[in-house]
Amino acid sequence: MRRPKRFKSAYTQEEMEEIFRRFSVQRPEPRGELEHVNPFTLVVAVALSAQATDAGVNKATRGLFAAADTPARMLALGEDGVIAHIRTIGLYRNKAKNVIALSQMLIDEFGGEVPNTREQLMRLPGVGRKTANVVMSMAFGIPTLAVDTHVFRLGNRCLMAPGKTPDEVEEQFLKVIPEAYLFHAHHWLILHGRYTCKARRPECERCIIADLCRSPEKSCDVAAPLVELPPQQIGEAALVESE
Ligand code: SF4
């Protein structure tokens, strides 16, 4: 039988409400784990995070952002100077080139400021849709849903927003995430994927939505108690996470 072209969420709107209500109780103020001090350093940090862990990027950017936290200072540091800080991150040569090129474009075309529209952000070298969405949400408070590896996996594994590409998963999620929860949805999904619904083995026995989940990979039907995780615990866990 041929697969239908478009897959739909396996959940009703009421179930999605309940799933995100629980996420919101568990983590009332979810935060991104990439360290940054302003919109410019956020753009750089997200661009550097492709195929790298947040913890690995943070280790490298602490020194980089102390040396250069504006496009002008980044240009003054130069490509070799950037490389010296980020050589522990995968694809560092290419990423250093992009950091310099995007700093130059910000100065030449945007008066040294980070733009706040997806179209303009995606013109910056090394900035794709995911990075643009993260920056719009975290730097400018515009609700978007950036689809990274965790969000993509959750959309498909849990059948919340199945899709073959990140763009399809984003489109599906935007249809089913209740509007009131959209602003924090990106972080809730990432944190749920990073700490509970993990790539290699989902920890269903400690999952707060296990009773609602329709994943074929689910191994437990009982929802774990809803507890709020202290932010520092999330941060500490990030340092030891391998993914
Ligand atoms: S029950 Fe298991 S598969 Fe479903 S969301 Fe929770 S951890 Fe993931």
Side-chain angles (χ1 to χ4, degrees):
M1 201 172 80
R2 283 177 65 190
R3 297 173 93 189
K5 243 179 154 187
R6 297 240 158 208
F7 305 104
K8 291 229 168 97
S9 173
Y11 301 83
T12 64
Q13 205 53 41
E14 288 72 31
E15 287 167 333
M16 290 302 286
E17 283 273 350
E18 177 58 13
I19 287 170
F20 278 89
R21 187 194 68 78
R22 292 188 197 176
F23 286 158
S24 73
V25 174
Q26 183 187 37
R27 296 184 171 102
E29 294 292 337
R31 288 177 301 133
E33 292 173 346
L34 278 177
E35 293 172 11
H36 60 282
V37 294
N38 55 30
F40 170 67
T41 52
L42 176 63
V43 174
V44 173
V46 184
L48 293 178
S49 72
Q51 295 174 46
T53 63
D54 287 0
V57 171
N58 288 342
K59 255 188 215 163
T61 55
R62 275 173 211 142
L64 176 65
F65 296 158
D69 59 357
T70 65
R73 288 189 194 125
M74 201 61 82
L75 283 182
L77 197 58
E79 200 171 309
D80 288 343
V82 174
I83 286 177
H85 286 284
I86 68 165
R87 61 170 70 247
T88 49
I89 303 177
L91 310 172
Y92 67 88
R93 283 188 193 284
N94 205 29
K95 288 177 179 176
K97 257 193 191 57
N98 283 335
V99 168
I100 293 299
L102 76 82
S103 301
Q104 188 71 60
M105 188 185 268
L106 286 173
I107 287 177
D108 293 345
E109 299 189 29
F110 298 101
E113 300 291 326
V114 175
N116 65 0
T117 69
R118 186 180 289 122
E119 197 186 13
Q120 289 175 318
L121 283 163
M122 285 177 69
R123 287 186 50 216
L124 299 172
V127 174
R129 189 177 176 94
K130 187 198 88 172
T131 302
N133 280 348
V134 172
V135 173
M136 285 166 69
S137 166
M138 287 177 66
F140 302 114
I142 301 167
T144 60
L145 187 80
V147 176
D148 75 342
T149 177
H150 300 293
V151 178
F152 187 77
R153 182 175 69 255
L154 279 183
N156 281 293
R157 174 190 276 164
C158 307
L159 306 174
M160 284 188 212
K164 283 181 255 162
T165 63
D167 284 4
E168 273 185 24
V169 169
E170 179 184 334
E171 190 188 326
Q172 293 290 332
F173 259 130
L174 289 177
K175 282 185 194 157
V176 295
I177 295 173
E179 210 179 323
Y181 296 113
L182 183 57
F183 185 69
H184 287 313
H186 166 71
H187 288 135
W188 282 323
L189 290 169
I190 286 182
L191 295 169
H192 188 65
R194 186 174 286 164
Y195 299 114
T196 308
C197 198
K198 297 179 180 178
R200 278 186 214 113
R201 192 186 78 80
E203 297 185 359
C204 306
E205 63 285 356
R206 45 184 295 270
C207 177
I208 58 164
I209 59 167
D211 55 326
L212 298 167
C213 177
R214 297 223 165 87
S215 170
E217 294 176 52
K218 179 168 82 164
S219 60
C220 168
D221 273 330
V222 182
L226 256 175
V227 285
E228 180 187 335
L229 299 178
Q232 67 273 24
Q233 191 180 318
I234 296 173
E236 281 161 19
L239 294 175
V240 296
E241 276 287 315
S242 60
E243 191 189 1

